[in-house]
Amino acid sequence: QRQMCIRDRPNKVAEYISVCRQMGIQILPPDINHGMYGFSVDNGAIRYALSAIKSIGRPVIRAIVNDTNELGEFRNLEDFITRISSRELMNKRLVENLIKAGALDVLGGTRKQFMSIYIQIVDHMQQEKKNSMVGQMSLFDMVSEEQKEEFQIRMPDVGEYTKENLLGFEKEVLGVYVSGHPLEPYEEEWRKVIS
């Protein structure tokens, strides 16, 4: 029951995060390879709950956790979208919110790269699914496993968002700032004027 309230009580969660940071406990963003439904411990740090991400329901989290347990960690964005779309749970909002929350950071790219390419990958997967339903084969179906690497969609060279953008995305989909705070550059100054 407590886990269900995470999204509804961002102020309380922000307070807990602040206390953890004061105690020297690191707060890690949600992670599709190592995260769980609720908050968890990860090498002495606290891993943010997958259930705290906006528009991510229990069936999706269960599918992600089960998939990593059964097939191993997701290797890249295309691998994640392919595997989850096979479970009939994929939609663009889901992928976008996972990107914004930082849950896909582990997949070897920046959030800006993922945001630039995820729609193309989702559309490609949906087209592949339609083709297989009508019995059409693609060139991808006829090549070896080694050659399939060459057909993977490449990440665009777009760098990363500014720290302000990253924090804004986290606030939007988590209700709190996880990887930092907009006032951090001024912390030394504001600590002088508060008790």
Side-chain angles (χ1 to χ4, degrees), residues 122-134:
V122 172
D123 287 345
H124 176 73
M125 289 303 124
Q126 289 171 343
Q127 187 59 50
E128 286 289 313
K129 195 176 288 186
K130 283 179 190 171
N131 288 346
S132 67
M133 286 171 68
V134 295

Side-chain angles (χ1 to χ4, degrees), residues 56-67:
I56 311 293
R58 188 181 292 267
V60 172
I61 296 168
R62 189 181 301 121
I64 290 170
V65 173
N66 288 345
D67 208 278

Side-chain angles (χ1 to χ4, degrees), residues 168-179:
F169 285 148
E170 290 175 7
K171 180 76 168 169
E172 176 189 337
V173 298
L174 296 171
V176 295
Y177 303 110
V178 175
S179 63

Side-chain angles (χ1 to χ4, degrees), residues 12-191:
K12 203 69 181 164
V13 174
E15 185 183 327
Y16 294 148
I17 289 173
S18 177
V19 170
C20 286
R21 287 190 176 131
Q22 288 170 18
M23 295 171 66
I25 300 170
Q26 188 182 8
I27 306 294
L28 303 172
D31 182 325
I32 54 160
N33 280 336
H34 304 108
M36 298 182 182
Y37 182 81
F39 287 85
S40 57
V41 177
D42 190 339
N43 290 320
I46 295 176
R47 174 72 62 190
Y48 212 83
L50 289 169
S51 60
I53 306 171
K54 188 176 173 183
S55 302
I56 311 293
R58 188 181 292 267
V60 172
I61 296 168
R62 189 181 301 121
I64 290 170
V65 173
N66 288 345
D67 208 278
T68 54
N69 289 339
E70 292 168 20
L71 302 173
E73 295 182 356
F74 297 103
R75 298 184 313 274
N76 53 50
L77 184 62
E78 194 169 349
D79 180 46
F80 170 72
I81 292 173
T82 302
R83 284 163 58 179
I84 294 302
S85 66
S86 70
R87 294 179 180 258
E88 306 297 329
L89 294 166
M90 182 55 57
N91 65 62
K92 291 173 185 171
R93 173 65 63 174
L94 163 71
V95 180
E96 183 174 321
N97 286 359
L98 286 167
I99 293 168
K100 288 179 175 180
L104 304 184
D105 289 357
V106 70
L107 299 181
T110 67
R111 295 183 203 180
K112 191 170 187 178
Q113 285 178 313
F114 293 154
M115 289 292 280
S116 301
I117 202 80
Y118 83 93
I119 292 175
Q120 182 183 342
I121 297 173
V122 172
D123 287 345
H124 176 73
M125 289 303 124
Q126 289 171 343
Q127 187 59 50
E128 286 289 313
K129 195 176 288 186
K130 283 179 190 171
N131 288 346
S132 67
M133 286 171 68
V134 295
Q136 290 182 353
M137 288 182 70
S138 69
L139 182 60
F140 190 73
D141 296 317
M142 295 182 267
V143 298
S144 69
E145 286 299 317
E146 294 79 32
Q147 290 171 310
K148 284 183 181 180
E149 293 278 326
E150 297 172 27
F151 287 85
Q152 283 187 341
I153 297 170
R154 304 281 179 235
M155 288 290 145
D157 185 15
V158 292
E160 179 59 290
Y161 291 113
T162 64
K163 185 71 170 176
E164 292 77 15
N165 284 128
L166 293 173
L167 291 173
F169 285 148
E170 290 175 7
K171 180 76 168 169
E172 176 189 337
V173 298
L174 296 171
V176 295
Y177 303 110
V178 175
S179 63
H181 195 282
L183 294 179
E184 273 179 5
Y186 314 104
E187 184 173 3
E188 197 174 311
E189 295 302 315
W190 60 258
R191 284 206 179 274

